[in-house]
Structures are given as C-alpha cells and as structure tokens.
Amino acid sequence: MPSNHFDVIIIGTGAGGGTLAYSLASSGKRILLLERGGYVPREKDNWDTRAVVKEGKYHTKEGWHDKDGKEFHPGTHYFVGGNTKFYGAALIRLRKEDFGQVRHHDGTSPAWPISYDDLEPYYTKAEHLYQVHGKRGSDPTEPPASAPYLYPPVSHEPRIQQLVEDLERVGHRPFFLPVGVMLDEKNPQKSPCIRCSTCDGHPCLVNAKADSQVICVDPALEHPNVTLLTHAYVSRLETGSSGREVTKVQVERNGSKETYSADVVVVSCGAINSAALLLRSANDRHPSGLANSSDQVGRNYMAHLNSVMLAVSKCENPTVFQKTLGLNDFYFKSNDWDFPMGHISFVGKTDANVLAAGAPSIVPGFTLELMAKHSLDFWLTSEDLPDPDNRVTLTKKGGIQLNYQANNLEGHKRLQAKLKSLLKHIDCTEDLLHMHAYIGKRIPIAGVAHQNGTLRFGNDPKTSVLDTNCKAHDLDNLYVVDGSFFPSCGASNPALTIMANALRVGDHLRERLS
Ligand SMILES: Cc1cc2nc3c(=O)[nH]c(=O)nc-3n(C[C@H](O)[C@H](O)[C@H](O)COP(=O)(O)OP(=O)(O)OC[C@H]3O[C@@H](n4cnc5c(N)ncnc54)[C@H](O)[C@@H]3O)c2cc1C
Ligand code: SF4
C-alpha cells in the first residue's frame, strides 16, 4: 500500500469528525485527519471579549455570498476542534418527540429515519465522553436516559438562583442546563475550569472546555495509527470509473497539492462546507455534485431561529458563569398555543464590549457598562423547518453561496413574547432588547453557528443524500458525520446530537472495517 493510502480519512475535526476519530482510534486502523485550520493559538486574546466578539479575531476571513451575490462574513471558525472550540458547551439531547413528525405553525417538521431509542445509548456515551455536568430529571421535557450524568450540575450563582425561585413561584420549571466544562466545584484548587465569564463564544485558554480537540482529537493522536494534517484544505473528492467509490482526496496544504486515498472517506466539514465540497466534486458520473442523484445536496439548510435578548435586572447581575439555567416550558405545544415555541437559556455574561458589538438599543439613563451590569442575557432557540430552497450552492468561482429565508417565525415571536411576559415576575424592567452581535449574527444570514441539514439522511435515495448509517446512497465508501445529516433540528442545541451520531456511525464503521 502506498503511504498516502489509509483505512479511513476523516475531513474536519469538529463535533462530528473529532468524535468519530476518537471512536475509531483504538481500532488500530490507519486513520488520517485532514483539517483546514491549525490549532487555536493559546494567548490572552482567547479570553478578551474585544478581540473575540468585537473584532471577530478567530472568525474565518472567508467571504461567502447571499442569494443576491452580496458578500458576507460568516460567524464560523476553522480550527482543530472546529466550532466546538468556541461553543457554549450546552450539551442537550433532542427531545424524544423531535424524532417523529412535529406539527408547527408553518408546516411539519419531518420524522427521522431512526428513533430516539436508537440514538439513546450514544447520547449517554457522548455525555460521559464530553464530561457533561447536569442533573437528570430537573428538565421536565427531558427524554428517558439510560444512565445519570457523571458530573453534578454547575451551580447557579445568586442572581440566577433568585431567577430560579422567581420562575418557580409563578409555576415554571427551570432546570440545570447540561454543560461540558471540566469544573470541579468541590475541589476548586484542582478544578481545570476556573468558572470564568469568557466561555461561550471564546476558546478556553486553560483547555478546560470539553471541546472536540481536547476531548477527542488530542487523545486520538496518542494512538500511533492516527495522523493529523493541519492547514490541509480538501478541495475535491474524485471517484473511480464506476463512480461508486471515492478514490482520491485532493488536498491543498502549504501552497502545494497533495493526494490521499482511503478505503472509507468521511466528510465532516460542517453542514455548509460539506455540501460545498460535494458540489465542488462534480464529475462525469456525478454531474450535479457527488452523491447528488437526489438533487438534495445543499438543500434543506437549517440554522435554528436564535436570538439573544437582554432583560434589564432591577438589581445588579454580577453573575460570572451565566449558562446554568434552561427553561423548556414552551418547547412543545401548550394550553394557549397549538404549536411548539422553543427553548430558553442563557448566553455567557455580556460586558460592554459584547454589548457594543451587538448594538442593542440603550435603555434611557443607562450606559453600555451599566447595562452590562444589569443585564440578564437570554438565549432563545426555536425550530426552523427544512425548505428545499434554503440551500448551499456554489458561485461561479467555486465559493459558497447561501440562500436562507427564515421560516416558522411565529413560534419564535411567541417565545420572545413569553419571555417578555415573565419580566415583571423576575425583578426586571419591562424592557426586552435584541442583541445581534453574538455568534457573528450582525446580519442574520451570517449566523451559521447551528448550521445543519444540507445532506439529510433517510431511507429513500430519491429524497435523501445519506442512508441511516450516514453513508451516501450513491457511493459505497463515502460517509458524513457532521450536522448535515439532520432531517429536522428540533429546538435543542445541535452539538450533542452530532457527537452521539458520530459515535453511532463509529460503531458501524468498526464493524465494517473488522
Ligand atoms: C459561538 C458558538 C457557540 C455555540 N454554542 C453551542 C452550544 O452551547 N451548544 C451546542 O450544542 N452547539 C453550540 N454551537 C454549535 C456547535 O459548535 C456546532 O453545532 C458543532 O461544532 C458542529 O459540528 P460539525 O462537526 O458539524 O462542524 P464543525 O464543528 O464546524 O467542524 C467542521 C470542521 O471542518 C473543517 N473544515 C471545513 N471545511 C474543510 C475542508 N474543505 N477541508 C478540511 N477541513 C475542513 C473546519 O475547519 C472544522 O474544523 C455553537 C457554535 C458557535 C459558533
Ligand atoms: S468557564 Fe471554564 S471551561 Fe469555560 S473558558 Fe472559563 S475556564 Fe474554560
């Protein structure tokens, strides 16, 4: 075998690719990881809100285009560990109901081809692997789980504890948000995590966030059979004469072109880049893009309806680590509305730099500094629905073009109204302010943090790109394990589901390769 031939090539080292690498590392198979980025540099700017949020220091500088050809800069990151280096590590399961059809105001969210029970054991494994801290049973909408969390929930700081009590007083059921930070509150001197305010959206300077690099890629690389090439941009996949197998992986690295091959090739570049890579890899056998006989590659792009809303607390909010509380009381249909609204939790505590970047309207009499001292910084997520016209295509030069028209907005608006109606009960003023800067969302289409759905899996090759093992229907050795396999996305943050699925596909590949 030539030395550039491997058993498995994994392209991308984020939540999907990194987790799969970990899952396969101990198999002894020769595994090559190809990652377009390098390691996040460890430097003081990691924890500087000005550098990270205001100046977008770690965002890709790549320009993408909207449907009208207008350039924008997406809020995404190319590094070892992918976007998990920057995520808020809220690691939440989809609800059991999300795996079936769900009726929404604007349409129906389709069922998955696998059930919650199929994924459940892998959710548990992923929670344990990523050191999720949480409390089973505190979230009343939580699906059944086969094991407890291994780590206790991250405690609420006093202002958040007060919020819990205020919400409970009016009949709500706030819960401990499950988070992947290596915090040991019983043993603070030895705790890797120091419980700081610059977690969500920032890389962790002390490597205490359970991200894909720290948890999966670094341990995988301890196995001699695993190799990582950084700054290795995969430009194209080529197939052999039958068109059924990827035979060459074309890489641009350090200004030169290199070619690798493997028995199994796994694409995990993030939903948008994975679709773009398959489209760029069109050839005679696959004229409209690799694995695209269904014409579904790039379609059904989803990103969740996300917003950050600031409530102004009458007392100060000196909370440091704010992401400890979630509220799913509006996740499903309710007494006063027949459709789901979504999930409420928090982003990391904002400061004046973050607020300046988000340009919220200022409450009269407040400065940015004063607002930051008083804000409770809520995160709201609702489900958007798959629409074939919301899609990734390529520009004439091969760049990324993203067409996205948000849908199912009524549920999200009602979720915002629900939060507003709670303000009088939680010691806040009546003001609820939109904040746009977080996760690069200065313009809505750039908010690609929760990207998913562009290569959906399913049983029918006519309507889906991947089969239930996440293998392309049209090819025998091409798999995808990032967020693109989602046929629908619920209203829970996506990373844990991507990780769990990567472990599931890992088991399948181990069997295939044995
Ligand atoms: C600020 C922020 C906060 C977030 N907070 C949360 C949260 O609290 N909870 C949650 O569940 N989710 C959160 N997310 C979302 C979460 O990070 C993503 O859902 C998850 O990382 C997606 O995993 P993935 O494997 O699909 O892609 P990614 O993690 O994006 O990984 C893709 C990898 O592929 C590489 N790549 C791309 N193209 C190529 C190519 N052509 N060649 C080689 N390599 C390539 C990229 O560099 C990257 O490393 C957040 C995201 C952001 C940005
Ligand atoms: S809160 Fe903990 S895990 Fe997050 S950045 Fe700070 S030290 Fe790292």
Side-chain angles (χ1 to χ4, degrees):
M1 280 293 176
S3 64
N4 61 356
H5 186 85
F6 291 80
D7 294 310
V8 183
I9 288 179
I10 301 173
I11 307 166
T13 58
T19 308
L20 180 68
Y22 178 87
S23 150
L24 295 180
S26 61
S27 67
K29 298 290 170 190
R30 286 190 69 219
I31 299 166
L32 176 64
L33 305 181
L34 295 169
E35 168 54 55
R36 73 186 293 173
Y39 283 88
V40 177
R42 292 188 70 201
E43 55 194 9
K44 280 171 89 175
D45 274 356
N46 288 178
W47 279 349
D48 184 338
T49 53
R50 177 182 297 275
V52 176
V53 184
K54 209 170 174 191
E55 291 160 13
K57 176 168 184 174
Y58 302 108
H59 282 166
T60 175
K61 304 294 174 273
E62 206 174 47
W64 295 357
H65 292 84
D66 69 11
K67 68 175 180 350
D68 302 318
K70 201 168 155 223
E71 194 182 41
F72 67 92
H73 291 280
T76 194
H77 310 84
Y78 298 148
F79 288 101
V80 177
N83 279 292
T84 67
K85 290 302 295 175
F86 297 84
Y87 73 172
L91 293 174
I92 313 174
R93 299 177 180 213
L94 283 172
R95 312 294 91 171
K96 190 175 171 114
E97 293 79 349
D98 290 324
F99 288 74
Q101 277 194 354
V102 180
R103 240 165 41 84
H104 284 262
H105 183 262
D106 273 14
T108 300
S109 145
W112 284 38
I114 60 171
S115 68
Y116 173 75
D117 292 342
D118 293 325
L119 201 55
E120 195 291 324
Y122 298 103
Y123 269 132
T124 298
K125 280 186 188 157
E127 284 167 350
H128 292 178
L129 176 62
Y130 279 87
Q131 304 193 20
V132 181
H133 290 52
K135 186 174 178 196
R136 279 283 181 255
S138 75
D139 174 0
T141 67
E142 184 185 65
S146 53
Y149 289 110
L150 287 186
Y151 300 91
V154 177
S155 64
H156 300 307
E157 289 173 49
R159 179 64 185 94
I160 305 301
Q161 182 58 39
Q162 184 197 330
L163 178 61
V164 169
E165 288 159 21
D166 288 344
L167 286 170
E168 285 177 345
R169 194 171 314 114
V170 287
H172 284 292
R173 298 161 301 169
F175 62 91
F176 284 106
L177 193 69
V179 279
V181 291
M182 300 174 204
L183 179 66
D184 184 351
E185 296 191 72
K186 287 220 174 92
N187 205 352
Q189 294 311 318
K190 294 216 166 129
S191 171
C193 169
I194 59 161
R195 194 178 180 131
C196 71
S197 60
T198 45
C199 192
D200 198 2
H202 299 70
C204 179
L205 181 54
V206 294
N207 278 336
K209 180 162 26 179
D211 63 47
S212 156
Q213 177 222 319
V214 170
I215 295 291
C216 288
V217 177
D218 292 352
L221 289 173
E222 283 167 20
H223 295 260
N225 52 308
V226 182
T227 306
L228 166 68
L229 295 182
T230 56
H231 303 288
Y233 170 73
V234 176
S235 55
R236 190 176 160 79
L237 305 176
E238 289 184 11
T239 61
S241 53
S242 72
R244 292 288 313 176
E245 265 197 340
V246 175
T247 50
K248 285 183 187 156
V249 176
Q250 304 287 16
V251 174
E252 293 171 13
R253 192 163 74 99
N254 303 328
S256 60
K257 296 196 170 169
E258 300 169 1
T259 302
Y260 298 90
S261 61
D263 293 351
V264 167
V265 174
V266 186
V267 173
S268 193
C269 303
I272 294 173
N273 270 292
S274 286
L277 174 58
L278 297 195
L279 292 172
R280 273 202 313 270
S281 303
N283 62 27
D284 290 351
R285 294 274 173 177
H286 300 269
S288 54
L290 207 55
N292 197 16
S293 65
S294 60
D295 188 33
Q296 294 301 307
V297 169
R299 293 189 188 271
N300 304 303
Y301 165 72
M302 293 168 278
H304 280 147
L305 302 167
N306 291 321
S307 42
V308 177
M309 311 222 61
L310 304 189
V312 182
S313 170
K314 288 182 189 161
C315 58
E316 286 195 1
N317 175 18
T319 306
V320 177
F321 187 87
Q322 189 171 235
K323 260 180 112 132
T324 58
L325 176 150
L327 188 68
N328 273 341
D329 290 349
F330 312 110
Y331 198 97
F332 300 123
K333 69 178 185 179
S334 46
N335 290 344
D336 57 350
W337 206 48
D338 238 6
F339 306 103
M341 286 180 247
H343 159 89
I344 300 179
S345 55
F346 278 103
V347 292
K349 185 70 202 85
T350 53
D351 65 9
N353 281 327
V354 179
L355 291 188
S361 41
I362 305 272
V363 176
F366 276 70
T367 59
L368 284 180
E369 282 78 12
L370 195 59
M371 273 196 33
K373 273 194 180 152
H374 282 261
S375 64
L376 284 163
D377 316 271
F378 287 99
W379 171 254
L380 279 65
T381 297
S382 306
E383 180 165 4
D384 55 347
L385 302 174
D387 171 354
D389 292 331
N390 281 344
R391 63 188 295 205
V392 179
T393 53
L394 298 179
T395 62
K396 284 199 182 89
K397 289 185 181 158
I400 288 174
Q401 186 149 23
L402 190 59
N403 184 3
Y404 180 69
Q405 182 66 47
N407 58 42
N408 208 24
L409 287 162
E410 184 59 26
H412 196 61
K413 278 191 208 143
R414 284 177 185 248
L415 187 64
Q416 293 173 348
K418 284 286 182 198
L419 180 59
K420 193 161 170 57
S421 73
L422 289 174
L423 296 178
K424 56 180 174 294
H425 302 295
I426 58 172
D427 202 23
C428 288
T429 68
E430 294 287 300
D431 308 282
L432 189 61
L433 311 164
H434 281 268
M435 228 259 300
H436 299 289
Y438 185 73
I439 56 170
K441 222 181 158 186
R442 284 177 191 84
I443 50 170
I445 199 169
V448 298
H450 286 198
Q451 58 182 279
N452 70 85
T454 55
L455 305 168
R456 64 184 180 185
F457 77 156
N459 291 311
D460 184 354
K462 290 203 183 73
T463 56
S464 56
V465 178
L466 309 171
D467 70 12
T468 51
N469 289 321
C470 289
K471 183 186 81 61
H473 288 296
D474 297 348
L475 287 108
D476 297 326
N477 70 338
L478 177 66
Y479 289 78
V480 180
V481 294
D482 55 30
S484 43
F485 78 99
F486 284 29
S488 61
C489 61
S492 299
N493 304 28
L496 186 74
T497 302
I498 298 171
M499 294 156 176
N501 183 60
L503 294 175
R504 185 182 71 93
V505 175
D507 273 3
H508 162 77
L509 286 177
R510 271 176 174 263
E511 214 175 297
R512 172 177 169 148
L513 294 165
S514 65

